[in-house]
Amino acid sequence: MKKELFGFMVLLLLCVGALAGCGSSEEKEASTNSNQVKEEETKSKEENEAVKKKETQVDTTKETEKEEKQGAEKDESSPKKESGSKVETNDQKPETTTDKAKVPVSQVDWGNAWTRDINTDRGVITITEAQGDTLKFSINATHTNNAEAARAGNINVGDVEGTAKVSGNVATQTTKDEDTGCSVKMTNHQSYIQVEAITDCSMAGGLGVSFDGKYQKGNIPETDWWKEDETNDATSDVSGEESEEPVKEEAPVEDETPAEDTQSLLTHEQAEELIRKMKGYSAGDPMHSVYYSNDDENGNYVIHDYEDVKDDPNTPYSEAHEATLGWYSVNPKTGEIKDLILNP
Protein backbone atom coordinates (compact mmCIF):
# COMPACT_ATOMS: atom_id res chain seq x y z
CA MET A 1 0.00 0.00 0.00
CA LYS A 2 2.79 2.43 0.88
CA LYS A 3 4.51 1.56 -2.31
CA GLU A 4 1.42 2.35 -4.31
CA LEU A 5 0.96 5.61 -2.48
CA PHE A 6 4.63 6.55 -3.08
CA GLY A 7 4.26 5.69 -6.70
CA PHE A 8 1.09 7.81 -6.91
CA MET A 9 2.93 10.76 -5.32
CA VAL A 10 5.75 10.42 -7.77
CA LEU A 11 3.28 10.47 -10.61
CA LEU A 12 1.54 13.44 -9.11
CA LEU A 13 4.79 15.33 -8.82
CA LEU A 14 5.67 14.43 -12.35
CA CYS A 15 2.33 15.71 -13.51
CA VAL A 16 2.72 18.93 -11.57
CA GLY A 17 6.23 19.39 -12.94
CA ALA A 18 4.96 18.74 -16.41
CA LEU A 19 2.16 21.23 -15.94
CA ALA A 20 4.57 23.76 -14.54
CA GLY A 21 6.90 23.16 -17.47
CA CYS A 22 4.02 23.57 -19.92
CA GLY A 23 2.97 26.81 -18.23
CA SER A 24 6.47 28.24 -18.32
CA SER A 25 6.87 27.22 -21.90
CA GLU A 26 3.59 28.89 -22.73
CA GLU A 27 4.69 31.94 -20.81
CA LYS A 28 7.96 31.82 -22.63
CA GLU A 29 6.14 31.44 -25.93
CA ALA A 30 3.76 34.23 -24.98
CA SER A 31 6.66 36.39 -23.90
CA THR A 32 8.48 35.53 -27.09
CA ASN A 33 5.40 36.34 -29.18
CA SER A 34 4.92 39.58 -27.29
CA ASN A 35 8.54 40.53 -27.89
CA GLN A 36 8.18 39.67 -31.55
CA VAL A 37 5.05 41.84 -31.82
CA LYS A 38 6.82 44.70 -30.09
CA GLU A 39 9.82 44.27 -32.35
CA GLU A 40 7.56 44.18 -35.41
CA GLU A 41 5.72 47.27 -34.22
CA THR A 42 8.99 49.03 -33.51
CA LYS A 43 10.30 47.93 -36.89
CA SER A 44 7.11 49.11 -38.59
CA LYS A 45 7.33 52.46 -36.81
CA GLU A 46 10.96 52.83 -37.84
CA GLU A 47 10.05 51.91 -41.43
CA ASN A 48 7.19 54.42 -41.39
CA GLU A 49 9.47 57.09 -39.99
CA ALA A 50 12.07 56.21 -42.57
CA VAL A 51 9.46 56.47 -45.35
CA LYS A 52 8.25 59.84 -44.00
CA LYS A 53 11.83 61.01 -43.69
CA LYS A 54 12.53 59.91 -47.22
CA GLU A 55 9.40 61.64 -48.50
CA THR A 56 10.42 64.78 -46.65
CA GLN A 57 13.89 64.55 -48.15
CA VAL A 58 12.38 64.02 -51.61
CA ASP A 59 10.11 67.05 -51.16
CA THR A 60 13.06 69.10 -49.89
CA THR A 61 15.18 67.90 -52.80
CA LYS A 62 12.43 68.81 -55.27
CA GLU A 63 12.03 72.26 -53.75
CA THR A 64 15.80 72.72 -53.77
CA GLU A 65 16.01 71.58 -57.40
CA LYS A 66 13.11 73.87 -58.28
CA GLU A 67 14.80 76.82 -56.59
CA GLU A 68 18.11 75.95 -58.25
CA LYS A 69 16.37 75.67 -61.61
CA GLN A 70 14.71 79.06 -61.16
CA GLY A 71 18.02 80.53 -60.05
CA ALA A 72 19.76 78.95 -63.03
CA GLU A 73 17.16 80.41 -65.39
CA LYS A 74 17.69 83.84 -63.86
CA ASP A 75 21.44 83.39 -64.06
CA GLU A 76 21.16 82.30 -67.70
CA SER A 77 19.12 85.35 -68.62
CA SER A 78 21.32 87.85 -66.78
CA PRO A 79 24.62 86.56 -68.16
CA LYS A 80 23.20 86.83 -71.63
CA LYS A 81 22.48 90.47 -71.05
CA GLU A 82 25.83 90.96 -69.41
CA SER A 83 27.57 89.05 -72.14
CA GLY A 84 25.64 91.07 -74.70
CA SER A 85 26.79 94.30 -73.13
CA LYS A 86 30.27 92.88 -72.83
CA VAL A 87 30.24 91.96 -76.49
CA GLU A 88 29.07 95.41 -77.38
CA THR A 89 31.75 96.93 -75.19
CA ASN A 90 34.36 94.61 -76.64
CA ASP A 91 33.12 95.42 -80.13
CA GLN A 92 33.51 99.11 -79.47
CA LYS A 93 36.94 98.91 -77.87
CA PRO A 94 38.66 97.11 -80.75
CA GLU A 95 37.11 99.57 -83.21
CA THR A 96 38.48 102.49 -81.21
CA THR A 97 41.88 100.87 -80.97
CA THR A 98 41.88 100.02 -84.65
CA ASP A 99 40.71 103.47 -85.63
CA LYS A 100 43.48 105.01 -83.56
CA ALA A 101 46.00 102.67 -85.15
CA LYS A 102 44.74 103.40 -88.66
CA VAL A 103 44.22 107.11 -88.22
CA PRO A 104 47.11 108.53 -86.19
CA VAL A 105 46.49 112.15 -85.27
CA SER A 106 49.21 114.45 -86.62
CA GLN A 107 50.97 116.45 -83.90
CA VAL A 108 52.03 119.11 -86.45
CA ASP A 109 50.00 122.31 -86.70
CA TRP A 110 49.07 122.68 -90.38
CA GLY A 111 47.06 125.85 -89.81
CA ASN A 112 44.82 127.04 -92.65
CA ALA A 113 46.91 129.47 -94.72
CA TRP A 114 50.57 129.90 -95.75
CA THR A 115 52.04 132.55 -98.07
CA ARG A 116 54.98 132.70 -100.46
CA ASP A 117 55.43 136.45 -100.12
CA ILE A 118 57.43 137.21 -103.25
CA ASN A 119 56.22 140.11 -105.37
CA THR A 120 56.84 138.54 -108.75
CA ASP A 121 56.09 134.96 -107.60
CA ARG A 122 53.38 135.13 -105.00
CA GLY A 123 51.63 131.99 -103.75
CA VAL A 124 49.05 131.03 -101.11
CA ILE A 125 48.40 127.58 -99.61
CA THR A 126 44.90 127.05 -98.25
CA ILE A 127 44.42 123.97 -96.04
CA THR A 128 41.01 122.55 -95.18
CA GLU A 129 39.69 119.40 -93.52
CA ALA A 130 42.91 118.42 -91.72
CA GLN A 131 41.75 115.22 -90.01
CA GLY A 132 43.87 112.36 -88.73
CA ASP A 133 46.49 111.56 -91.35
CA THR A 134 44.90 113.39 -94.29
CA LEU A 135 44.24 116.97 -95.29
CA LYS A 136 42.77 118.79 -98.26
CA PHE A 137 44.65 121.72 -99.78
CA SER A 138 44.90 124.13 -102.69
CA ILE A 139 47.81 126.27 -103.88
CA ASN A 140 47.31 129.39 -105.97
CA ALA A 141 50.47 130.86 -107.47
CA THR A 142 51.29 133.76 -109.81
CA HIS A 143 54.28 134.89 -111.84
CA THR A 144 55.23 138.13 -113.53
CA ASN A 145 58.60 139.29 -114.82
CA ASN A 146 58.76 142.75 -113.28
CA ALA A 147 56.76 145.76 -112.10
CA GLU A 148 56.25 147.00 -115.67
CA ALA A 149 54.76 143.65 -116.71
CA ALA A 150 52.55 143.63 -113.61
CA ARG A 151 51.32 147.17 -114.36
CA ALA A 152 50.44 146.01 -117.86
CA GLY A 153 48.46 143.12 -116.40
CA ASN A 154 50.92 140.48 -117.61
CA ILE A 155 50.56 138.16 -114.62
CA ASN A 156 50.40 134.41 -115.16
CA VAL A 157 48.49 132.30 -112.67
CA GLY A 158 48.27 128.62 -111.79
CA ASP A 159 46.71 126.37 -109.19
CA VAL A 160 46.84 122.83 -107.89
CA GLU A 161 44.56 121.15 -105.36
CA GLY A 162 43.90 117.73 -103.91
CA THR A 163 44.21 115.49 -100.87
CA ALA A 164 47.51 114.80 -99.12
CA LYS A 165 48.51 111.97 -96.74
CA VAL A 166 50.35 113.18 -93.65
CA SER A 167 53.32 111.30 -92.23
CA GLY A 168 55.09 113.17 -89.45
CA ASN A 169 55.63 116.69 -90.77
CA VAL A 170 55.38 115.72 -94.46
CA ALA A 171 52.13 115.84 -96.46
CA THR A 172 52.29 114.12 -99.86
CA GLN A 173 49.57 114.53 -102.48
CA THR A 174 47.87 111.16 -102.93
CA THR A 175 46.70 111.50 -106.55
CA LYS A 176 47.80 113.69 -109.44
CA ASP A 177 45.62 116.55 -110.61
CA GLU A 178 43.32 115.08 -113.28
CA ASP A 179 43.73 118.00 -115.70
CA THR A 180 47.42 118.81 -115.31
CA GLY A 181 49.08 115.70 -113.81
CA CYS A 182 50.63 117.91 -111.13
CA SER A 183 51.28 116.68 -107.58
CA VAL A 184 53.32 118.20 -104.76
CA LYS A 185 54.89 117.43 -101.39
CA MET A 186 54.71 119.82 -98.42
CA THR A 187 57.16 119.71 -95.50
CA ASN A 188 56.01 121.58 -92.39
CA HIS A 189 58.85 123.31 -90.50
CA GLN A 190 56.41 125.02 -88.07
CA SER A 191 57.34 128.58 -89.11
CA TYR A 192 57.14 127.81 -92.85
CA ILE A 193 56.15 125.07 -95.30
CA GLN A 194 58.57 123.96 -98.02
CA VAL A 195 56.72 122.92 -101.20
CA GLU A 196 58.29 120.63 -103.81
CA ALA A 197 56.72 119.43 -107.05
CA ILE A 198 56.99 115.61 -107.29
CA THR A 199 55.61 115.47 -110.84
CA ASP A 200 55.72 117.82 -113.82
CA CYS A 201 53.57 120.84 -112.90
CA SER A 202 54.35 122.97 -115.97
CA MET A 203 50.81 122.49 -117.27
CA ALA A 204 49.23 123.69 -114.03
CA GLY A 205 49.90 127.37 -114.76
CA GLY A 206 51.09 129.97 -117.21
CA LEU A 207 54.68 130.51 -118.28
CA GLY A 208 57.02 130.84 -115.33
CA VAL A 209 54.46 129.77 -112.70
CA SER A 210 55.91 127.43 -110.09
CA PHE A 211 54.57 126.10 -106.80
CA ASP A 212 57.98 125.36 -105.24
CA GLY A 213 59.41 127.45 -102.44
CA LYS A 214 58.94 128.54 -98.84
CA TYR A 215 55.49 129.59 -97.63
CA GLN A 216 55.37 131.59 -94.39
CA LYS A 217 52.60 130.91 -91.88
CA GLY A 218 49.46 132.98 -92.34
CA ASN A 219 47.71 134.67 -95.24
CA ILE A 220 49.93 137.71 -95.80
CA PRO A 221 47.98 140.46 -97.62
CA GLU A 222 49.22 141.27 -101.10
CA THR A 223 50.58 144.80 -101.66
CA ASP A 224 50.44 146.94 -104.82
CA TRP A 225 54.18 146.64 -105.09
CA TRP A 226 54.20 147.47 -108.82
CA LYS A 227 52.59 150.84 -108.06
CA GLU A 228 55.20 151.57 -105.42
CA ASP A 229 57.89 150.64 -107.93
CA GLU A 230 56.30 152.97 -110.47
CA THR A 231 56.32 155.80 -107.93
CA ASN A 232 59.95 155.11 -107.10
CA ASP A 233 60.81 155.15 -110.80
CA ALA A 234 59.04 158.47 -111.26
CA THR A 235 60.77 159.91 -108.19
CA SER A 236 64.17 158.75 -109.35
CA ASP A 237 63.50 160.24 -112.79
CA VAL A 238 62.69 163.62 -111.27
CA SER A 239 65.59 163.63 -108.83
CA GLY A 240 68.05 162.46 -111.47
CA GLU A 241 67.21 164.91 -114.25
CA GLU A 242 70.35 166.97 -113.75
CA SER A 243 72.62 163.97 -113.47
CA GLU A 244 71.15 162.48 -116.64
CA GLU A 245 72.00 165.55 -118.76
CA PRO A 246 75.66 164.57 -119.21
CA VAL A 247 74.54 161.13 -120.27
CA LYS A 248 72.29 162.69 -122.90
CA GLU A 249 75.26 164.57 -124.29
CA GLU A 250 77.13 161.27 -124.64
CA ALA A 251 74.09 159.49 -126.09
CA PRO A 252 75.26 159.78 -129.72
CA VAL A 253 78.41 157.84 -128.79
CA GLU A 254 76.61 155.01 -126.89
CA ASP A 255 73.50 154.74 -129.06
CA GLU A 256 74.45 153.16 -132.34
CA THR A 257 70.81 152.69 -133.40
CA PRO A 258 69.65 155.32 -135.91
CA ALA A 259 66.96 157.66 -134.68
CA GLU A 260 64.60 156.47 -137.39
CA ASP A 261 64.79 152.87 -136.13
CA THR A 262 64.21 153.98 -132.54
CA GLN A 263 61.10 155.89 -133.50
CA SER A 264 59.76 152.97 -135.55
CA LEU A 265 59.96 150.43 -132.67
CA LEU A 266 56.59 148.92 -131.79
CA THR A 267 55.24 149.32 -128.29
CA HIS A 268 54.12 146.30 -126.27
CA GLU A 269 50.49 147.29 -126.77
CA GLN A 270 50.99 147.49 -130.55
CA ALA A 271 52.60 144.06 -130.57
CA GLU A 272 49.66 142.68 -128.57
CA GLU A 273 47.25 144.25 -131.06
CA LEU A 274 49.06 142.55 -133.95
CA ILE A 275 48.48 139.15 -132.31
CA ARG A 276 44.82 139.96 -131.61
CA LYS A 277 44.23 140.86 -135.24
CA MET A 278 46.04 137.72 -136.39
CA LYS A 279 43.88 135.55 -134.11
CA GLY A 280 40.70 137.51 -134.82
CA TYR A 281 40.13 138.68 -131.24
CA SER A 282 38.42 141.93 -130.36
CA ALA A 283 40.04 144.29 -127.88
CA GLY A 284 37.29 143.67 -125.32
CA ASP A 285 37.06 139.90 -125.82
CA PRO A 286 36.30 138.50 -122.31
CA MET A 287 37.36 135.00 -123.23
CA HIS A 288 40.71 135.50 -124.96
CA SER A 289 43.65 137.44 -123.53
CA VAL A 290 46.86 138.55 -125.24
CA TYR A 291 49.64 140.02 -123.11
CA TYR A 292 53.31 140.94 -123.43
CA SER A 293 55.44 138.65 -121.26
CA ASN A 294 59.08 139.57 -121.76
CA ASP A 295 61.85 140.32 -124.27
CA ASP A 296 63.81 137.40 -125.70
CA GLU A 297 67.59 137.43 -126.13
CA ASN A 298 67.24 139.09 -129.56
CA GLY A 299 65.06 141.93 -128.26
CA ASN A 300 61.81 140.52 -129.70
CA TYR A 301 58.62 140.82 -127.68
CA VAL A 302 57.29 137.51 -126.27
CA ILE A 303 53.47 137.54 -126.29
CA HIS A 304 51.30 135.08 -124.35
CA ASP A 305 47.94 134.09 -125.87
CA TYR A 306 45.57 132.30 -123.50
CA GLU A 307 41.90 131.57 -122.97
CA ASP A 308 39.86 131.96 -119.80
CA VAL A 309 38.10 128.62 -119.30
CA LYS A 310 35.01 128.26 -117.10
CA ASP A 311 34.08 124.86 -115.70
CA ASP A 312 30.59 126.19 -114.97
CA PRO A 313 28.86 128.47 -117.52
CA ASN A 314 27.47 130.53 -114.63
CA THR A 315 30.94 131.22 -113.24
CA PRO A 316 32.17 134.79 -113.93
CA TYR A 317 35.28 135.13 -116.08
CA SER A 318 37.09 136.64 -113.12
CA GLU A 319 37.00 133.17 -111.49
CA ALA A 320 37.90 131.21 -114.63
CA HIS A 321 41.30 129.50 -115.03
CA GLU A 322 43.76 130.12 -117.83
CA ALA A 323 44.50 127.73 -120.68
CA THR A 324 47.44 128.64 -122.92
CA LEU A 325 46.59 128.85 -126.63
CA GLY A 326 49.96 130.00 -127.93
CA TRP A 327 53.24 131.84 -127.50
CA TYR A 328 54.47 134.31 -130.14
CA SER A 329 57.41 136.63 -130.68
CA VAL A 330 57.01 140.01 -132.40
CA ASN A 331 59.94 141.84 -133.95
CA PRO A 332 59.57 145.41 -132.61
CA LYS A 333 61.25 146.86 -135.72
CA THR A 334 59.50 144.93 -138.48
CA GLY A 335 56.34 143.63 -136.77
CA GLU A 336 57.21 140.08 -137.92
CA ILE A 337 55.33 137.44 -135.90
CA LYS A 338 56.82 134.04 -135.08
CA ASP A 339 54.94 131.10 -133.50
CA LEU A 340 57.19 129.93 -130.64
CA ILE A 341 55.36 126.63 -130.20
CA LEU A 342 55.59 125.54 -133.85
CA ASN A 343 59.00 127.19 -134.37
CA PRO A 344 60.71 127.40 -130.99
Side-chain angles (χ1 to χ4, degrees):
M1 182 72 174
K2 288 182 180 179
K3 288 183 181 179
E4 292 176 353
L5 183 61
F6 178 78
F8 177 77
M9 289 297 291
V10 170
L11 288 172
L12 182 60
L13 288 172
L14 290 172
C15 289
V16 172
L19 289 172
C22 289
S24 64
S25 64
E26 287 178 358
E27 288 178 359
K28 286 182 180 178
E29 287 178 359
S31 175
T32 302
N33 292 334
S34 176
N35 290 336
Q36 287 179 350
V37 170
K38 287 182 180 179
E39 287 177 358
E40 288 176 358
E41 287 177 353
T42 303
K43 188 175 182 182
S44 176
K45 285 181 181 179
E46 289 176 353
E47 288 177 354
N48 289 334
E49 288 177 357
V51 170
K52 288 181 180 179
K53 199 175 206 180
K54 189 173 183 182
E55 287 176 351
T56 305
Q57 289 177 350
V58 169
D59 292 338
T60 305
T61 304
K62 286 183 179 179
E63 288 179 359
T64 304
E65 288 177 352
K66 188 175 180 181
E67 289 176 356
E68 288 178 352
K69 188 175 181 181
Q70 291 176 349
E73 289 176 354
K74 290 181 180 179
D75 292 338
E76 285 177 359
S77 60
S78 67
K80 284 181 180 177
K81 293 180 180 178
E82 292 177 0
S83 62
S85 62
K86 287 180 181 178
V87 169
E88 291 175 358
T89 305
N90 292 336
D91 288 342
Q92 292 174 356
K93 286 183 179 178
E95 286 179 2
T96 305
T97 306
T98 306
D99 291 343
K100 287 182 179 179
K102 287 184 178 179
V103 187
V105 178
S106 174
Q107 300 300 317
V108 179
D109 179 16
W110 288 93
N112 52 27
W114 305 75
T115 307
R116 185 178 63 187
D117 191 25
I118 303 175
N119 289 338
T120 56
D121 293 277
R122 180 176 171 80
V124 176
I125 302 173
T126 302
I127 293 177
T128 59
E129 299 183 32
Q131 298 179 350
D133 63 344
T134 61
L135 58 83
K136 290 186 177 181
F137 74 96
S138 63
I139 306 177
N140 180 268
T142 62
H143 170 74
T144 186
N145 290 328
N146 46 47
E148 182 182 357
R151 286 194 292 270
N154 298 325
I155 301 176
N156 297 329
V157 300
D159 59 79
V160 60
E161 62 181 14
T163 301
K165 185 175 180 62
V166 179
S167 178
N169 68 328
V170 179
T172 306
Q173 190 170 346
T174 54
T175 57
K176 300 178 183 178
D177 186 279
E178 293 182 1
D179 298 328
T180 64
C182 176
S183 60
V184 300
K185 179 178 73 173
M186 298 177 288
T187 305
N188 191 327
H189 296 281
Q190 300 296 332
S191 60
Y192 70 93
I193 285 180
Q194 181 74 39
V195 176
E196 299 175 63
I198 54 179
T199 61
D200 183 9
C201 290
S202 59
M203 297 297 294
L207 184 67
V209 175
S210 170
F211 304 106
D212 293 1
K214 291 183 178 180
Y215 291 71
Q216 297 175 346
K217 194 168 188 178
N219 191 345
I220 302 173
E222 185 177 7
T223 62
D224 295 337
W225 58 274
W226 56 88
K227 293 182 181 179
E228 295 174 3
D229 195 286
E230 184 179 18
T231 304
N232 292 336
D233 290 345
T235 304
S236 61
D237 289 342
V238 173
S239 61
E241 283 180 358
E242 295 181 0
S243 61
E244 287 179 358
E245 288 182 0
V247 176
K248 289 181 180 179
E249 292 178 359
E250 298 176 359
V253 178
E254 295 180 358
D255 188 5
E256 297 179 358
T257 304
E260 293 180 359
D261 292 342
T262 303
Q263 292 177 357
S264 64
L265 290 178
L266 296 173
T267 64
H268 298 157
E269 290 76 11
Q270 290 172 332
E272 292 170 355
E273 188 61 28
L274 287 175
I275 301 300
R276 285 194 191 94
K277 287 181 179 179
M278 182 187 74
K279 298 297 292 283
Y281 304 153
S282 63
D285 191 334
M287 232 176 122
H288 300 93
S289 301
V290 176
Y291 287 110
Y292 162 81
S293 175
N294 60 283
D295 288 0
D296 65 13
E297 57 185 6
N298 296 321
N300 298 319
Y301 300 156
V302 177
I303 307 296
H304 183 203
D305 173 24
Y306 62 88
E307 177 184 11
D308 289 327
V309 179
K310 298 191 299 180
D311 297 327
D312 184 349
N314 298 322
T315 303
Y317 278 104
S318 60
E319 298 180 11
H321 63 272
E322 297 177 0
T324 297
L325 298 177
W327 287 94
Y328 303 93
S329 71
V330 178
N331 189 316
K333 296 179 182 179
T334 64
E336 178 185 0
I337 298 173
K338 182 180 178 181
D339 191 324
L340 296 178
I341 296 178
L342 297 177
N343 301 297

